[in-house]
């Protein structure tokens, strides 16, 4: 395991120039129907380069919508999202794709693509833009190099000629992260990266995400419903309930019994992780 | 970079190059195992298929009511090449049969089959469903209804000047496709069952309207219409053949241009958009292109089913999913398949001819059922 996540005070992580900021963003589905509630309401936060930000909260609290807003897949009704200082709405999809990669929770695996083919798809935003050779031609050397590197980092090189549909959940998640890395992003968004994974794969994936943040100085924003995973993995947390940010800060600042009672509406026991000292959540005994 | 150790990376710049031996050997391995598509593999497959297509077309030109020997064929082709005349040096009947009847029909079959297969491959990627096909989804019926309406209104004869029938086919096809998409979509997903169900219902309704049209037409014309609806190839005039060839070749090339984006689209819409694709624009382009091609093909050959579903599927199993090879290869294989099916259709019960749509449906239907059963547990 790498060195402890955080020994310094949180101020050391405060952004000077942030990778991603959200300024008072609000969003709702079907805005033209009267009386639709906000999915995200007046959310303001920022992520510093190299930082791992976790978005946590109960089901239906707007976590995934928040991630899609950051990815530019949804447009906020009001407020501004900035990607390395530039307003997201002024950027084309292709420009966003060169800076920001996303691994959605659901993966369509209808067709039998190999692992190498899947990872190479991450090179799509960087393809040549001439006409014949560009669109129909096969990948250039630098695409292959980038894919190879991404696969080495996520440890899927041995799977290169396997079909993605035949892989285990943990392997598949690593392949999807490799595809995102092949995109050469500075910011990586992950939607529930550890959901449906066995314990060993959860541990593996957490280690991978931390290593990437450190070695690639990759900014990571992830959604998780697992507070203990988020506590171990993230530098900062956003605690979301009904589309509003209830608390933000380090895990120590946010994972507190009174905050969790307000967000989840139930009693929990919070103590310190025996090895890492970060908060650990245990279900309280019902009385 | 030492093998197996992840290099510290800052974007793409620092992590080695293709001359790096570890990277190079890995890439060579991928190419060899077929894990990635290489330029070499693509051209080898396509040239092989081109040669096979020419062989199949020559072979099938020899079959028919009057059997032509390969010597006759060679002589006729030789005279075409040396004199530039298609009837003359050789026996007049042979030349006439070959160049007025057989060859135009074989070429038309190849164009129609190839177009149906590439449209099927595109629809499968667009709808992320290996069972999609213009026939199953009702796009062909929509196009057929458009064409039948045009015929009812007496516009069937002037299409050489203005391609009236393909345009009506296009209008019908694109309407059907939009309807299917709207009907089957729920919460941004296209569940396989609602897609197929919507296709079945739409097919039934469109067929009912077409049957209504044939029933009010005068019997002399409706017989021809029914034969056409069942899917049949007739020897076209060379002018029509060249017209349709230009039309579908242009459409196919534009479709092929979308192949890399289609690869990404199969990974899901969120993924495609986060990789920089304007998915709405891409989908709209693909709807229009597939409906344009389906409309044209239905206008000349009626409803020939299952090629669009079975051929891309078989080709995918053989050469992989990358649409940059899958689409052109499907076109060649689909063309060959229809030429062979049509040869069966016109010789099996000679002198009577059965509609080629019957042959392809009898061959393709069981494959469809097999896929539906076999994949049931894998696709929900």
């Amino acid at each position: 395991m790498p060195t402890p996540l955080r020994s310094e005070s949180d101020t050391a992580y405060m952004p000077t120039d942030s990778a991603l900021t959200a300024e008072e963003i609000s969003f709702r589905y079907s805005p033209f129907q009267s009386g639709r509630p906000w999915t995200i309401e007046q959310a303001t936060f920022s992520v510093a380069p190299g930082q791992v930000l976790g978005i946590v909260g109960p089901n239906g609290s707007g976590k995934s919508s928040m991630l899609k807003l950051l990815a530019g897949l949804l447009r906020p009704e009001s407020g501004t999202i900035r990607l390395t200082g530039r307003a997201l709405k002024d950027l084309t999809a292709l420009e966003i794709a060169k800076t920001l990669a996303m691994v959605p929770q659901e993966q369509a695996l209808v067709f039998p693509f190999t692992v190498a083919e899947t990872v190479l798809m991450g090179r799509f935003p960087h393809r040549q833009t001439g006409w014949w050779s560009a669109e129909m031609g096969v990948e250039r050397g630098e695409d292959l190099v980038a894919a190879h590197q991404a696969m080495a980092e996520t440890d899927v090189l041995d799977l290169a000629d396997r079909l993605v549909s035949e892989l285990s959940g943990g392997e598949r998640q690593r392949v999807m992260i490799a595809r995102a890395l092949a995109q050469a992003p500075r910011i990586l968004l992950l939607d529930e990266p550890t959901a449906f994974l066995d314990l060993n794969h959860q541990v593996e994936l957490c280690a991978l995400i931390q290593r990437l943040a450190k070695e690639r100085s990759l900014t990571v924003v992830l959604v998780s419903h697992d507070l203990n995973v988020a506590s171990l993995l993230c530098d900062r947390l956003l605690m979301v309930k009904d589309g509003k940010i209830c608390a933000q800060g380090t895990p120590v600042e946010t994972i507190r019994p009174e905050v969790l009672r307000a967000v989840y509406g139930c009693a929990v026991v919070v103590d310190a992780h025996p090895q890492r000292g970060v908060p650990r959540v245990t279900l309280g005994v019902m009385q | 970079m030492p093998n197996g150790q992840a290099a510290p990376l800052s974007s793409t710049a620092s992590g080695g190059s293709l001359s790096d031996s570890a990277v190079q050997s890995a890439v060579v391995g991928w190419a060899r195992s077929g894990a990635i598509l290489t330029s070499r593999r693509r051209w080898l497959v396509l040239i092989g298929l081109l040669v096979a297509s020419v062989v199949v077309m020559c072979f099938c030109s020899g079959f028919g009511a009057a059997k032509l020997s390969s010597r006759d064929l060679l002589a006729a082709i030789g005279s075409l090449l040396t004199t530039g005349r298609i009837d003359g040096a050789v026996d007049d009947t042979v030349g006439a049969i070959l160049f007025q009847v057989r060859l135009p029909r074989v070429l038309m079959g190849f164009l129609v089959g190839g177009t149906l297969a590439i449209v099927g491959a595109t629809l499968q990627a667009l709808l992320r469903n290996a069972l999609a096909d213009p026939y199953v989804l009702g796009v062909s019926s929509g196009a057929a209804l458009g064409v039948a309406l045009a015929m009812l209104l007496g516009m069937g004869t002037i299409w050489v000047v203005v391609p009236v029938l393909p345009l009506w086919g296009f209008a019908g096809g694109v309407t059907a496709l939009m309807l299917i998409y709207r009907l089957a979509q729920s919460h941004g997903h296209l569940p396989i069952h609602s897609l197929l169900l919507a296709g079945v219902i739409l097919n039934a309704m469109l067929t009912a309207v077409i049957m209504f049209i044939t029933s009010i037409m005068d019997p002399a014309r409706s017989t021809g219409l029914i034969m056409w609806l069942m899917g049949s190839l007739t020897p076209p005039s060379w002018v029509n053949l060249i017209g349709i060839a230009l039309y579908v070749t242009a459409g196919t090339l534009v479709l092929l241009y979308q192949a890399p984006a289609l690869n990404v689209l199969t990974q899901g819409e969120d993924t495609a958009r986060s990789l920089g694709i304007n998915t709405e624009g891409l989908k709209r382009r693909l709807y229009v292109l597939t409906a344009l091609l389906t409309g044209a093909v239905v206008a000349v050959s009626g409803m020939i089913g299952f090629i669009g579903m079975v051929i891309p599927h078989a080709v995918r199993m053989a050469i992989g999913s990358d649409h940059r090879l899958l689409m052109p290869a499907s076109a060649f294989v689909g063309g060959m398949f229809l030429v062979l099916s049509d040869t069966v259709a016109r010789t099996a019960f000679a002198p009577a001819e059965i509609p080629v749509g019957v042959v392809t449906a009898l061959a393709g239907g069981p494959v469809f059922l097999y896929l539906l059963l076999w994949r049931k547990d894998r696709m929900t």
Side-chain angles (χ1 to χ4, degrees), chain A residues 38-92:
Chain A
W38 294 105
T39 308
I40 300 292
E41 194 175 346
Q42 297 286 314
T44 301
F45 58 90
S46 64
V47 201
Q51 204 173 47
V52 181
L53 175 80
I55 303 176
V56 295
N59 291 334
S61 56
K63 301 189 295 281
S64 292
S65 302
M66 191 88 92
L67 207 65
K68 286 186 178 178
L69 283 164
L70 295 179
L73 300 182
L74 299 173
R75 290 271 149 121
E77 204 172 310
S78 63
T80 314
I81 297 170
R82 289 181 195 283
L83 183 62
T84 59
R86 298 170 68 190
L88 201 62
K89 64 172 186 291
D90 297 337
L91 301 174
T92 63

Side-chain angles (χ1 to χ4, degrees), chain B residues 47-63 70 73-74 77 103 106-107 110 332 335-336 339-340 343:
Chain B
I47 290 168
L49 286 171
L50 178 67
V51 171
S53 301
V54 172
V55 170
V56 164
M57 284 191 277
C58 289
F59 174 74
C60 288
S61 303
F63 279 96
S70 49
L73 290 179
L74 286 179
I77 291 167
L103 215 46
V106 160
L107 286 171
F110 188 77
F332 280 116
M336 283 189 272
V339 168
L340 287 167
T343 307

